Amino acid sequence: MGVDVQTPASSQALTDHVDAHVEVARLRDELALTRRMLDDAQRLTRTGSWIVDATSGAGSGSVEFFRILGLPGKTSSAHFTECLTNVHPDDLPAVLEGFQESVATGESRPLHYRVVAADGSTTDIETVAQPIRDETGRVVRVVGTVMDVTERNHVQEALRASEKSRQAAVMAERDRVVRDVHDTLAHAFTGVIVQLEAADDAASRGLEAEAGAHVARAEAMARAGLQEARRSVMALRPQALEGNDLSAALRELVMRMTDGTSVISEFAQGGVARRLPPAWDEHLLRIGQEALTNAIRHGRAQRIVMELDFSDDAVQLRLTDDGRGFDTSSAFDGLGLAGIKARASSIGGHLSISSAAGSGTTISVSVPHSTPTGP
């Protein structure tokens, strides 16, 4: 009778096989944890995330996405047209037209519409659609967010009947929250979705290390998104500026947003740094975040340089990229660049945008030292 004897080579192969299964199981656990964190962040901010194939219309969304649209029976996937089942009939044509324009032009489009519940009540929805291009520049997917803004709209309607100064103050605060949510959470959610898709793809091809790196980035983005959501609701200073000056916060932002990508990035500071008013720090940080995101996602830039210059009479933030560029005559159609313009104006800054199709983009905000900035 023969005896089955394991050779060292076969024993090592078995060990490697077991280790690979353990690693895949660990990655799946981390992926599940990250998704739960994303669900918590979306539930807190009443914001859902979604992704749609631009050709087939096949899509998927988060639990909060389907809840907001009045489709709690759905799980994770649905055709684009199914997601519009409860959209108010009067609003549906504009939603379809806006989505189609976004796919055709490759530009982000904010959409506002109502969802009708079974009892006839309506929910006000704000959607930001973000087209994603392939290597040829063709839009292949659209990712985005939906936000339940019913309460915000009700507050705005009520304030219209109140005295003017109180209305202006509360509206300004509401606008601040909405703008901060767009600048932080919407980008974080989109980034998490892209990283999780990449992790699933890498894991299916047996690339455990690559999948792990994507999961780690997604987890970090989800944690940051949840934390920033809480800070925005409580009107707290951005976490990146806690214990950091503006230069350090911008440098960290550039490194974090280009990590794991093919983008070559650089941050440089000119002049002697000086203390700025807190509002300047926050608005310039958010402007840098939005400009950087636009360069990567819209412009598909491969090289990005961000500079923060301090002179005797002004502070200037400038971002230059070698991306696709765009027609500056339609620069403020989307929420992103419109937000940059609003932030620059709120701190007395001058916004300059230089771009043309195929020639990259330079965005510059210069804020004069017209008020004391402290020591």
Side-chain angles (χ1 to χ4, degrees):
M1 182 172 63
V3 179
D4 184 13
V5 179
Q6 264 195 341
T7 65
S10 63
S11 177
Q12 182 61 46
L14 178 60
T15 299
D16 292 343
H17 182 70
V18 171
D19 289 346
H21 276 283
V22 171
E23 177 63 13
V24 169
R26 184 187 69 80
L27 290 174
R28 285 174 177 166
D29 289 342
E30 291 189 8
L31 188 60
L33 174 62
T34 300
R35 281 173 169 158
R36 287 196 298 272
M37 293 172 61
L38 177 61
D39 287 342
D40 289 341
Q42 294 193 350
R43 189 164 49 251
L44 173 67
T45 59
R46 297 182 183 178
T47 303
S49 54
W50 53 271
I51 182 168
V52 171
D53 185 284
T55 302
S56 68
S60 61
S62 65
V63 172
E64 189 69 7
F65 166 74
F66 288 114
R67 188 199 67 76
I68 290 173
L69 293 186
L71 301 169
K74 295 292 181 182
T75 54
S76 61
S77 61
H79 192 274
F80 171 67
T81 54
E82 292 183 77
C83 299
L84 304 179
T85 301
N86 297 325
V87 173
H88 195 289
D90 292 344
D91 300 339
L92 185 58
V95 172
L96 292 172
E97 181 181 355
F99 184 84
Q100 291 165 357
E101 286 182 358
S102 187
V103 172
T105 64
E107 295 294 329
S108 176
R109 285 291 186 273
L111 303 174
H112 304 270
Y113 53 93
R114 293 163 293 170
V115 166
V116 184
D119 62 3
S121 62
T122 61
T123 300
D124 296 336
I125 305 296
E126 184 173 275
T127 293
V128 178
Q130 174 64 64
I132 302 296
R133 302 174 184 268
D134 62 12
E135 294 76 9
T136 67
R138 183 174 64 93
V139 173
V140 293
R141 292 180 299 171
V142 182
V143 300
T145 57
V146 295
M147 181 183 295
D148 179 350
V149 295
T150 307
E151 182 179 350
R152 186 192 79 192
N153 290 348
H154 286 170
V155 170
Q156 291 175 343
E157 291 171 6
L159 286 175
R160 276 191 278 270
S162 66
E163 48 89 16
K164 213 174 223 184
S165 60
R166 178 176 177 274
Q167 179 188 28
V170 176
M171 285 285 287
E173 175 61 12
R174 293 292 177 179
D175 288 343
R176 178 197 66 79
V177 173
V178 172
R179 187 168 59 231
D180 285 354
V181 166
H182 174 269
D183 290 349
T184 56
L185 294 181
H187 294 301
F189 293 159
T190 301
V192 168
I193 292 171
V194 173
Q195 291 292 343
L196 292 182
E197 282 189 331
D200 281 338
D201 179 65
S204 69
R205 293 183 285 121
L207 303 176
E208 287 83 10
E210 182 178 334
H214 285 299
V215 169
R217 293 190 190 102
E219 183 177 351
M221 290 178 182
R223 289 183 185 277
L226 179 58
Q227 187 174 42
E228 284 299 302
R230 290 170 174 160
R231 298 181 72 86
S232 293
V233 169
M234 294 184 290
L236 296 178
R237 188 172 172 84
Q239 183 65 37
L241 292 171
E242 292 291 344
N244 285 332
D245 60 18
L246 180 60
S247 292
L250 288 171
R251 188 185 304 275
E252 180 183 346
L253 174 68
V254 171
M255 292 178 61
R256 184 175 69 250
M257 291 195 70
T258 57
D259 184 30
T261 73
S262 60
V263 179
I264 299 173
S265 61
E266 177 185 346
F267 176 82
Q269 178 189 306
V272 179
R274 66 176 67 194
R275 183 178 176 183
L276 301 175
W280 291 22
D281 280 340
E282 181 172 346
H283 284 300
L284 289 173
L285 175 65
R286 298 303 190 201
I287 289 171
Q289 179 185 48
E290 182 65 29
L292 184 59
T293 300
N294 286 345
I296 294 173
R297 298 220 177 127
H298 295 305
R300 301 185 66 84
Q302 291 301 301
R303 181 174 178 79
I304 298 173
V305 178
M306 182 180 289
E307 301 168 278
L308 182 65
D309 292 325
F310 294 90
S311 64
D312 292 339
D313 56 359
V315 58
Q316 182 181 61
L317 175 64
R318 181 171 55 253
L319 186 138
T320 303
D321 69 67
D322 65 351
R324 300 177 183 276
F326 60 90
D327 180 3
T328 56
S329 65
S330 60
F332 301 123
D333 284 351
L335 289 179
L337 286 172
I340 289 178
K341 182 180 181 182
R343 287 186 181 278
S345 176
S346 70
I347 55 177
H350 173 70
L351 173 64
S352 172
I353 299 178
S354 175
S355 184
S359 300
T361 301
T362 297
I363 295 180
S364 174
V365 176
S366 180
V367 187
H369 292 308
S370 56
T371 57
T373 60

